Amino acid sequence: MRQAGTPPLITIFGGTGFIGRYVCEALLKAGARLRVAGRDPRKAWFLQPLGSVGQVSAVGADLAKPPTIEHALDGADAVINLVGVFKGNLEALHVQGPGKLAAAAKKAGAKAFVHVSAIGVDAESESTYSETKARGEQAVKAAFPKTTIIRSSTVFGPEDDFTNRFAAMGGWPLLPVIAPKTRFQPVYVRDLARAIAMAALDPKAHGGKTYELAGPEAMTMLDLNARIMALSGQQPELVEVPDFVASVIAAFGFLPGAPLSRDQWLMLQKDNVPSGKHPGFKEFGIAPTPLGAVAPEWLGRYKKGGRFAPSAA
């Protein structure tokens, strides 16, 4: 049992990923002790400078090996699960693993369990990602009823594979846009990370709740591409790809180097915006950040001449 005055210990699975590094930063700034769990603890070394001496530790753990989970959760006040993939054994990583982790957290006496999911997940979806993510939510809530579910929109930030991917193609004379009418409401990674950290540190306020966290602007895929091109100082001609062409491309998504998988195409058939049925950032006292307010920090490098190039008049 943690002694009075001792900072809380948070165990985080997926802490070395894109979102994870910002969650770790937010927790460390709040004064928490952090235990980063993963198959290869060495991948967490880069987090050490973010905290003071002894504030960050790394431990080997595998969701498929219960004894390693128990070790990672020993003495933890809260547990965060950020694990999410688009390829591989989604049943194991999105459903079975989180369920075992939540059960182990309950057994270990953790006061909070935060599970990061995605906006729009549906247990009846044809998309394997969406369907397994939805059943993963059910599994963790069954094992740990006071779980906080964080459903996130598409996330943008300096290291993302979202705005950077589109900006990298901005040098082409023609830029094809798949699912041009699908709507998105992308969320800034630092805003999302702050909310996740707050949920872990304050289970009395956030335990047992489901949140949908998205940015302040909803836009179509076509509008989003146009915005990214403008922010990165590029002017390709945007070409809307007909749905029947995109579906054919997706049918060959199993091939190496394919630009679009069938599962991704299925997810693009549905808008990625909040349903309005669950609370959002307001409950955390966070005003979500617009894309244009921060994206020039990293998209500037795609400009001709780099980020130090003069802005257009």
Side-chain angles (χ1 to χ4, degrees):
M1 185 174 181
R2 177 165 58 92
Q3 296 182 350
T6 303
L9 174 61
I10 316 296
T11 295
I12 177 169
F13 282 73
T16 59
F18 166 49
I19 298 172
R21 67 184 65 189
Y22 289 94
V23 175
C24 290
E25 180 183 47
L27 288 167
L28 292 170
K29 285 183 177 179
R33 292 176 295 148
L34 196 60
R35 181 185 290 154
V36 184
R39 293 182 180 180
D40 185 356
R42 293 172 297 182
K43 291 183 178 180
W45 287 352
F46 75 95
L47 297 169
Q48 292 285 351
L50 298 180
S52 58
V53 176
Q55 195 179 3
V56 184
S57 63
V59 61
D62 188 333
L63 292 179
K65 299 177 180 178
T68 66
I69 295 177
E70 293 176 8
H71 176 64
L73 302 186
D74 184 33
D77 296 287
V79 181
I80 298 174
N81 179 41
L82 292 167
V83 177
V85 296
F86 290 101
K87 296 180 180 180
N89 191 340
L90 273 61
E91 177 72 22
L93 293 173
H94 288 173
V95 185
Q96 298 173 8
K100 293 176 182 177
L101 181 58
K106 185 70 174 178
K107 182 179 179 180
K111 299 296 187 293
F113 188 89
V114 181
H115 179 72
V116 178
S117 186
I119 283 177
V121 296
D122 182 358
E124 303 299 323
S125 175
E126 292 183 68
S127 162
T128 304
Y129 177 88
S130 179
E131 182 262 336
T132 54
K133 270 294 190 179
R135 288 195 294 114
E137 290 185 5
Q138 297 169 2
V140 296
K141 285 192 289 187
F144 198 113
K146 285 294 184 178
T147 291
T148 302
I149 302 291
I150 302 287
R151 292 178 180 169
S152 167
S153 182
T154 303
V155 186
F156 65 86
E159 305 88 0
D160 70 33
D161 190 31
F162 180 56
T163 63
N164 283 295
R165 172 177 290 189
F166 292 134
M169 298 187 293
W172 301 355
L174 300 176
L175 179 59
V177 180
I178 292 174
K181 294 180 174 60
T182 299
R183 296 168 66 240
F184 293 83
Q185 203 163 328
V187 59
Y188 183 38
V189 66
R190 289 189 184 277
D191 295 336
L192 175 61
R194 285 177 58 202
I196 293 170
M198 291 171 69
L201 294 170
D202 192 358
K204 289 184 179 180
H206 305 292
K209 297 180 180 180
T210 296
Y211 294 97
E212 290 182 321
L213 302 185
E217 304 168 292
M219 58 191 103
T220 66
M221 178 68 88
L222 184 64
D223 292 338
L224 183 56
N225 272 267
R227 181 78 62 85
I228 292 171
M229 293 308 110
L231 293 171
S232 62
Q234 303 179 98
Q235 296 180 318
E237 181 179 348
L238 303 182
V239 180
E240 298 185 32
V241 177
D243 284 352
F244 77 90
V245 174
S247 65
V248 171
I249 295 173
F252 293 91
F254 61 90
L255 297 174
L260 181 72
S261 70
R262 179 178 181 276
D263 209 58
Q264 288 172 322
W265 171 243
L266 289 172
M267 287 190 288
L268 286 171
Q269 303 311 296
K270 185 177 180 180
D271 289 341
N272 189 250
V273 297
S275 67
K277 298 178 181 178
H278 301 282
F281 276 117
K282 185 178 180 180
E283 298 298 314
F284 295 94
I286 297 173
T289 306
L291 178 67
V294 290
E297 296 176 12
W298 65 89
L299 294 182
R301 68 178 180 271
Y302 295 99
K303 293 181 179 180
K304 185 176 182 180
R307 64 190 182 92
F308 296 109
S311 300

